[in-house]
Every structure is written in structure tokens, then in C-alpha cells.
Amino acid sequence: MDRSTDQPMRIRKRDQATYRMGAVRRTAANFTKLALSALLGIGLLVTGSAPAYADAIWDRWKAADAAVSSGNPAAAVPHWEFLADHYVSAGDWESAALFSGKLNQYFDGIGDYEKAIAYYERENEYWLKDGKDWGAVDLQRAEQIRTTVEAYISTADTEALRQRALPVSGKLSKFEPEYGMYIGMYTERDPKMLNYYDRSESFYGKKHALYLAYTQVGKPFPKQYAQRAKQAGAGLQIAWEPMNGLDAVTDEVVRAWAREAKAAGIPIFLRYASEMNGNWVPWHGDPDTYIRNFRMVHDIMEQEAPNVAMVWSPGDVPMYSMDAYYPGDDYVDWVGVSLYSEPYENGDPKQGNMQATSPVERLDYLYRTYAERKPLMISETAVSHYANIPQESFTEYGTLNLQRLYGIMPYKYPRLKAITYFNVNLEMKESKNNYLLRDNDAMYSLYRKLIEPPFYLTNIENAAKPPKPSGQVPLTAGVAIYKRALITPFVKIPDIYIGKIEYAVNGRLVQTQTSPPYGIELKAGDVPEGSVLELGIYNHAGKKAATRSFPITSGISVSIDGKDVDFEQPPVIREGNTLAPVRAIFEAMGAKVDWNAAAKTATATKGGTTVSIAIGSGEAYKNGKPVKLEMPAQLVNGATLVPARFVGEAFGGVVGWDGETRTVTIRMDGKSAAAFPGEAVKVTAASAVSTLTPSASERSANGAPSRTAVWFGWFKDQLGRLADLWGRLV
């Protein structure tokens, strides 16, 4: 096996801290809380403005204790609530946190998760006000039991994708993509790939943008890794670790290393002295020294190695201690994080069950804090599909969270622009989890599928972007399906595992899924304007755990000779007519378009044909002869829109209509176009109705929806909308 640098410390360090840190801190915090609770009675006797009021507080305390002792904790709840509120008003945050803790434990135990979440969040808030970070574990538990149902929809709207992915300043960092996400991998302990990076495409279906290597300060620059990355057309992420302490990181040492980095001739993400917020690394404990040292490394790299981007990369825990180590915006190009998903802490059921924790929410704090200014990367991550100590397979856990990692997080967090997967089976050492994708067929095939879209970038460059529009945005009102779109749900329920997800459009079930990857493709013709998509979420027991409805609609597309036309102002429907923007279509046909603002007239010329159209006129002119329009030309958002049939035929095109994708087809090459549902490109109630599969009773003899069924379906939709409107009015 190729080992030209030291093996990574990552898992060894994280064994002692990352998930275990939660358990250790929880145990320590709970022990201290118990001690504080024992002393709380003394505080109760001296709290308040008068002895009588102190007695009332003490009475509440005793009543709550008596209820718990008698096996009736529900009777203690009103007293705990009173006491928590009292200590908040008194500014006694320690006592307020303790009583909030009693309440969240009670509500969590009886399955009243909404109230439990509220008190977990309050407990965290009060501990912070008391100067302690003990509430981090409360936030973790709150996220474990929070029901989440979100949805994301694919789009080819490049500008929408760009705007979501830009920093507030609008200025991109070194090697930062405009939008999209670099894919990376640590391969050294993948027995088939090792560090032969040019094998990636044959194994994983796609080359990766960067590969991860580890080395220590004071050791030679990892030339062999760099050479192999260059051969594969990739960059490196280098974890550079000062194992002899920050004092050993001198100007001379850094400068010599920087010159070697420049000579490598590839993009390098330098993850220097990472996970500094954890006490398992020798560079932890002195934020001021760390910051001075990081800045020195940055300055030398800036002088000597312009191909190096500096990555400041804490661990995802301890959460609240990382900010003290931030070197400042001027010294950081990217903000990274290490986070891993595994069913048991260190693969050991005795150390704690982590199945309820997903990778998604664990990025939230870092994202809220830094994403407005810096691009984020998950510097190293993996999802376990097998716990080696109990020899227990977790394929469902693995696929569920692998999809969340790659199929949800880049869209939920659009400033997340790189993920590096730690592709290792750690067997019975270190974290004792198997993250190796090839060891599980479902994980392996899912990973290949997830990174297949062009959104996942394979080449590092400044302002990189996908070779063609690709990405997803939150499914909200106003986001329309053009032709077809993939809708991906992010679902999290307290039961952890999902039995099935049902997808219904306008009350009609269209698909059911029982395993990851979750998601549904809808065609524009399936979704009349003003439709509703409803997700029904069930647990393994078959009980509905959650439901959520999303407004969903579709738009009209136009293709010329099979190529889609891009619009700033897409076609619209007015009084059943499809109106198309003349400039975009005429220019796509090769015509020259001029606009006379005074006359509000668009004129297009191609060859010997001239067409002019005035806003508000029911006639257009072709070579001076009037042509009646089905509807007057209109100005919409600064664009001239005209009935689509006229636009398509003005320069000799053959116009048709694809109802499945709601696409106006124009053929300029003499080939026939799809037939229209009528004499004009017109959307009527019948043609707008969903084409989703009807029931057997709604089919004609040949299996197609009958005309009566189509009209009946449309009529049912209208009745439903009227009933909804009436319900709102009354």
C-alpha cells in the first residue's frame, strides 16, 4: 500500500472526542446538575422578596418531589413550569436550566416531542446565560426528536442557483465555485484504489475534484500524492498537522514547504491544524497562539504558493468553543468541518446510540456563523453502514444518511461547496466502523448515483460551475416545473427510520417509496397550475408520523428543433392562451430584433421577412400585411409576449404541442412537430388537467383516460378549490 506520508490521526482523535464528547460532557453535566439540584433547596429558602414567597417556592419544590416519589411525575409538571418561569424572571439561569431539564426529560419520555424540544432549547439558552455550554447535548437531543419535512426541486435556473450560492459580499474566495459542489475522497485505505486517483472514474463513475492526504509539519511535502493528483486532473486537500506543537512551526519550515507546494502545480486546499477546538490535539488550548500561528502560515502561503487556499476546519464538537480559534476573514479562504455519521459511538452499543442524529443539523451552527462570508467544505466525513464490534449491519441507516449528506445538504446549505468522503473500513481499530462504500452494494450504487449530476464538480478552478445548469432549490410557492423536475424530500421523524413516503398531487396518490433514495420526478403536464403536492410519512409500524403539503405549479417551455429556449421572462397563460416572448424565440431562430420604445413596437427581421408587433394590438404585420392574433400582444416584465403559434410560424416554423411536458415545439428544419390539442397553442381546462394515472373506472376501453374522466377530474379539482375557498371565508 502506498504510504508516502503519515497515516491520518483523524479517526484516532475523533474516537476520544467527537461523539464520545457528547456522552462525556452529558455525564459530567448531569452529575453537576444533580449536585446543583441537591443544593437548590437551600437557594429556594433565600430566593424571593419575602419569607412568605420563599415558602411558596419551597412548597412548589416539595410538591413536585412528592409527585415524582409517588410515581406520578405528570403532577409535578405544573410545579416545574412555575419554578422554571420564576427563576427566569429572577435571572437565576442555573435554576431555570435545571427545572427546564426536568421538563424536557418528562415530555421526551411520554412522546410529547414538541414540548420536549421547547424545553431542551430553553435549557440550552439558560446554561449559556449562566456561562456554561452544557446545553449543547440538549440541542442535539432536540434535533433527534424534531419532525422535519422539507422538499427541494431541481431547476435549470442558473441565476437562482448562483444567487443562493454567493457570499453576501458577492466576491468569491480562492477556488470557490459560483455554484455546485466539489466532490473529494480519501482513498488510501480503499484496497482497490489506494492512491491511484486516476482509477476513480472506473470505480465510482466519475473523477473527483480533490483527494485527501495527511502529513505532519516538519515532514517533506507529499510529492507523490501531488503527482498522482496532477495525473488525474485533480487537486489535493492536505491535512497538515503540527504534532510537535505550534512552537515548532517556524517561518523557515513553512516557507520551504510552501515552495514545494507551489512547484506541485495543482490546486491545494491546506487544512492546517484542524479540529483545534478539541482537546485531543496538541495545538488545542491557547486560541491566541493558534491564531497568530495560523496567520503566519497564511501569510507565507500567500507570498510563496498562490495555488494554496487556506482552510480553517474545526470539528463539529465541541460546538461553542470553536469560534475562539477563528483567525479572521482575512486569513481564511474556506471554512471546513469534520463530521461523521455512525449508529453507535465508536461502533460500540455500550457507548451510546447515535442513530437518531443525522448529518444535516450538525452543520447548522457553523453555517449560520460563517457561510455569509466564506464557502464551506465538509473536510472529512463518512457514513457507517456496519458496526464492527456487534457485527451489525446498518444498510438502511447508511443509505438514509448518505442521501442526506450528498442529496440534501448541498441544496439546504448552498454555501457548502465541497465534501470529501473518508472511504475506509476501520475494522476493529480506531472508530470500529465500516465506512468503505464498496463493502456495501446499496451504499456503493447510491454514492455513484448521487454524484452523477453535473452539479457535483470534478475540476477545481476559480468561479467553477457545472457544465450545464444543475441543482435544486427549496420547493416553495412560485417555483415552477418546466418540462420535468426531480423533487427530493428531506424527512426526519422521532422514530428515525421511515417505513414509506407517499406522494400525492391534488389528492391523488402518484407514488410510494419504502427505501432510499427518496424522491419523485414529475412532468409539467402532471401538475396543473395551482396544484398541491402532499407528502405522507409513515414509520416502520405503518403509523403516519408526519404530513406536509407544498404548493406546486408548472410552466410552459419552448423548444426549437429540439433545443430548449432560455427565457428571462417565461411564457405565460392569459385567458387560456399561451403567450411567448418574441425576442428570445426570434433570436433563437436567427432573427434580429429591434424595439421602438416610443411606438411600443418590436420588429424582427430574418432573410427577406420582416415581422412587427405593437403592444396592445390584436394584429401583427408580416412584410406589411396584417395577421390577426388570437390575443393582443402584451408587455410582461419588460418583455413583449405574443400568442405562441404566431411566434413559431412567423418565420416559417412548424408549431406543435407536447402535453406531457407542456412544451411548445417549433421545427425550423422541415420536420413535423407534435400535434396541437386544437387549432391554436391554447391551454384549456381539459388540457390543463393533470395527466396522472386514472383509476380503472376512469379509463376508456383502450386504457387511456376517457374524455369524461378528464373533465370529471378537472371538475373535482375545481370543487375542491371552491370548498377550500369557502372554508377560508367562513
Side-chain angles (χ1 to χ4, degrees):
M1 183 177 292
D2 176 36
R3 297 181 183 275
S4 61
T5 76
D6 293 355
Q7 288 299 296
M9 291 181 55
R10 196 274 317 157
I11 293 292
R12 182 169 66 255
K13 294 180 293 187
R14 185 174 162 277
D15 277 354
Q16 302 165 1
T18 300
Y19 284 140
R20 184 178 294 176
M21 178 65 70
V24 170
R25 294 174 69 82
R26 188 184 303 114
T27 301
N30 287 342
F31 179 83
T32 308
K33 291 176 191 178
L34 290 172
L36 290 170
S37 296
L39 296 173
L40 187 57
I42 299 173
L44 291 169
L45 294 175
V46 298
T47 301
S49 58
Y53 190 69
D55 289 342
I57 301 301
W58 181 234
D59 289 343
R60 290 277 193 168
W61 164 274
K62 291 190 295 183
D65 274 1
V68 173
S69 297
S70 66
N72 184 21
V77 169
H79 303 298
W80 290 335
E81 291 175 331
F82 174 87
L83 292 167
D85 291 342
H86 164 70
Y87 285 112
V88 168
S89 65
D92 182 349
W93 306 115
E94 184 178 274
S95 300
L98 289 168
F99 282 111
S100 295
K102 292 178 182 291
L103 287 161
N104 59 45
Q105 292 295 308
Y106 171 76
F107 287 121
D108 195 347
I110 65 170
D112 189 341
Y113 296 124
E114 291 303 313
K115 287 185 178 178
I117 289 168
Y119 278 106
Y120 278 124
E121 291 175 341
R122 287 178 62 173
E123 183 179 0
N124 174 66
E125 176 188 351
Y126 302 151
W127 283 127
L128 288 176
K129 289 182 176 180
D130 196 49
K132 302 179 179 66
D133 65 354
W134 295 346
V137 292
D138 297 296
L139 287 186
Q140 182 185 69
R141 179 57 185 165
E143 288 302 330
Q144 289 179 340
I145 60 176
R146 192 187 306 277
T147 296
T148 301
V149 183
E150 299 172 356
Y152 298 85
I153 182 170
S154 61
T155 181
D157 186 343
T158 301
E159 190 58 26
L161 295 166
R162 281 186 68 255
Q163 290 302 320
R164 293 189 74 233
L166 286 174
V168 171
S169 68
K171 183 180 179 181
L172 298 173
S173 291
K174 184 180 292 187
F175 303 142
E176 179 181 354
E178 283 190 2
Y179 75 97
M181 191 187 77
Y182 295 132
I183 48 174
M185 184 174 281
Y186 174 71
T187 66
E188 189 162 20
R189 289 196 259 181
D190 177 343
K192 292 188 178 180
M193 187 164 169
L194 304 176
N195 287 323
Y196 297 99
Y197 303 138
D198 54 3
R199 298 177 180 177
S200 174
E201 191 167 1
S202 62
F203 288 148
Y204 298 103
K206 199 168 187 177
K207 72 181 288 286
H208 284 53
L210 66 150
Y211 296 90
L212 174 58
Y214 294 81
T215 189
Q216 296 179 12
V217 176
K219 297 292 180 69
F221 178 82
K223 289 183 180 180
Q224 189 177 33
Y225 289 72
Q227 289 168 357
R228 289 182 175 170
K230 190 171 186 177
Q231 180 182 4
L236 280 182
Q237 181 204 149
I238 299 179
W240 201 30
E241 300 179 324
M243 294 306 299
N244 294 322
L246 297 175
D247 291 340
V249 186
T250 64
D251 183 287
E252 181 182 4
V253 168
V254 176
R255 202 168 293 277
W257 197 93
R259 290 169 182 156
E260 294 275 14
K262 179 182 178 181
I266 60 170
I268 294 174
F269 294 91
L270 182 58
R271 179 160 57 103
Y272 173 67
S274 63
E275 301 183 19
M276 75 304 297
N277 54 321
N279 61 8
W280 56 92
V281 295
W283 48 91
H284 168 80
D286 186 348
D288 290 340
T289 300
Y290 176 89
I291 288 172
R292 286 195 302 272
N293 191 267
F294 191 100
R295 289 178 175 180
M296 178 193 71
V297 174
H298 165 274
D299 290 346
I300 293 173
M301 294 299 159
E302 186 175 59
Q303 297 163 17
E304 301 282 357
N307 59 318
V308 170
M310 292 295 296
V311 181
W312 176 75
S313 186
D316 68 318
V317 293
M319 181 192 306
Y320 295 122
S321 63
M322 63 176 68
D323 299 334
Y325 290 86
Y326 186 61
D329 289 351
D330 292 340
Y331 301 91
V332 173
D333 295 308
W334 288 64
V335 170
V337 67
S338 300
L339 63 85
Y340 287 76
S341 299
E342 52 193 32
Y344 302 126
E345 294 178 11
N346 302 309
D348 186 356
K350 296 178 181 179
Q351 293 188 32
N353 190 315
M354 300 302 298
Q355 293 172 59
T357 299
S358 88
V360 179
E361 64 273 7
R362 288 162 53 205
L363 188 66
D364 196 58
Y365 175 79
L366 197 76
Y367 195 87
R368 291 196 318 268
T369 307
Y370 298 102
E372 288 188 351
R373 296 120 63 195
K374 298 295 175 183
L376 266 65
M377 67 164 56
I378 300 181
S379 309
E380 50 181 271
T381 187
V383 179
S384 171
H385 56 79
Y386 191 87
N388 286 315
I389 291 179
Q391 298 185 5
E392 188 174 353
S393 178
F394 281 93
T395 296
E396 184 177 6
Y397 171 88
T399 54
L400 181 67
N401 286 292
L402 189 65
Q403 184 183 20
R404 289 168 173 173
L405 181 64
Y406 283 91
I408 297 297
M409 293 181 71
Y411 306 130
K412 182 178 178 69
Y413 303 112
R415 300 277 297 141
L416 173 61
K417 296 189 174 182
I419 294 179
T420 297
Y421 192 85
F422 196 83
N423 201 28
V424 174
N425 177 11
L426 289 170
E427 300 177 306
M428 293 304 291
K429 56 192 174 188
E430 299 166 329
S431 82
K432 303 176 181 65
N433 276 285
N434 190 350
Y435 307 113
L436 188 63
L437 295 167
R438 70 172 67 257
D439 279 356
N440 184 293
D441 290 342
M443 293 283 285
Y444 180 69
S445 61
L446 178 58
Y447 180 80
R448 289 173 59 99
K449 182 176 182 179
L450 287 170
I451 66 170
E452 183 179 354
F455 178 85
Y456 301 92
L457 305 173
T458 59
N459 294 302
I460 299 171
E461 57 186 1
N462 289 315
K465 58 184 178 182
K468 60 181 180 179
S470 175
Q472 296 189 35
V473 297
L475 179 56
T476 57
V479 179
I481 294 176
Y482 288 93
K483 300 188 81 169
R484 57 179 55 82
L486 175 66
I487 296 172
T488 305
F490 168 43
V491 174
K492 195 158 63 69
I493 57 177
D495 303 280
I496 305 173
Y497 296 110
I498 299 165
K500 67 177 177 179
I501 298 179
E502 292 182 340
Y503 305 83
V505 176
N506 298 331
R508 177 177 291 181
L509 180 66
V510 296
Q511 190 168 336
T512 298
Q513 292 176 326
T514 57
S515 62
Y518 296 110
I520 181 174
E521 183 182 87
L522 292 176
K523 295 179 180 178
D526 296 336
V527 184
E529 293 181 61
S531 293
V532 174
L533 171 68
E534 182 176 293
L535 302 185
I537 318 302
Y538 296 79
N539 62 18
H540 273 185
K543 180 181 177 181
K544 181 172 278 190
T547 184
R548 184 175 175 186
S549 296
F550 299 86
I552 189 169
T553 191
S554 61
I556 305 296
S557 302
V558 177
S559 70
I560 299 177
D561 294 337
K563 183 178 181 180
D564 292 339
V565 179
D566 294 328
F567 303 104
E568 291 186 9
Q569 169 58 52
V572 300
I573 297 172
R574 294 287 187 269
E575 299 177 14
N577 291 279
T578 300
L579 304 182
V582 296
R583 178 181 290 277
I585 296 176
F586 283 167
E587 288 182 343
M589 292 177 174
K592 179 183 177 183
V593 182
D594 294 312
W595 170 251
N596 186 325
K600 294 185 177 179
T601 299
T603 302
T605 304
K606 180 183 179 184
T609 302
T610 298
V611 176
S612 63
I613 308 164
I615 299 299
S617 174
E619 290 182 331
Y621 289 86
K622 183 174 180 179
N623 290 337
K625 295 180 180 180
V627 179
K628 185 174 176 57
L629 301 175
E630 294 152 340
M631 190 174 201
Q634 299 184 19
L635 198 64
V636 178
N637 296 326
T640 302
L641 270 63
V642 176
R645 178 178 284 282
F646 172 80
V647 179
E649 293 179 343
F651 291 104
V654 180
V655 184
W657 171 254
D658 180 352
E660 279 195 347
T661 61
R662 301 187 78 197
T663 302
V664 177
T665 61
I666 303 171
R667 304 300 308 200
M668 303 296 293
D669 54 10
K671 296 181 181 179
S672 61
F676 275 99
E679 62 180 356
V681 183
K682 200 166 187 175
V683 178
T684 64
S687 63
V689 73
S690 171
T691 58
L692 301 176
T693 305
S695 65
S697 63
E698 296 173 319
R699 292 180 177 273
S700 62
N702 64 4
S706 67
R707 184 182 299 268
T708 301
V710 170
W711 275 100
F712 183 64
W714 174 82
F715 185 66
K716 286 193 296 183
D717 286 347
Q718 306 316 304
L719 286 178
R721 293 179 189 179
L722 286 173
D724 181 65
L725 177 61
W726 176 255
R728 295 181 185 182
L729 290 174
V730 299

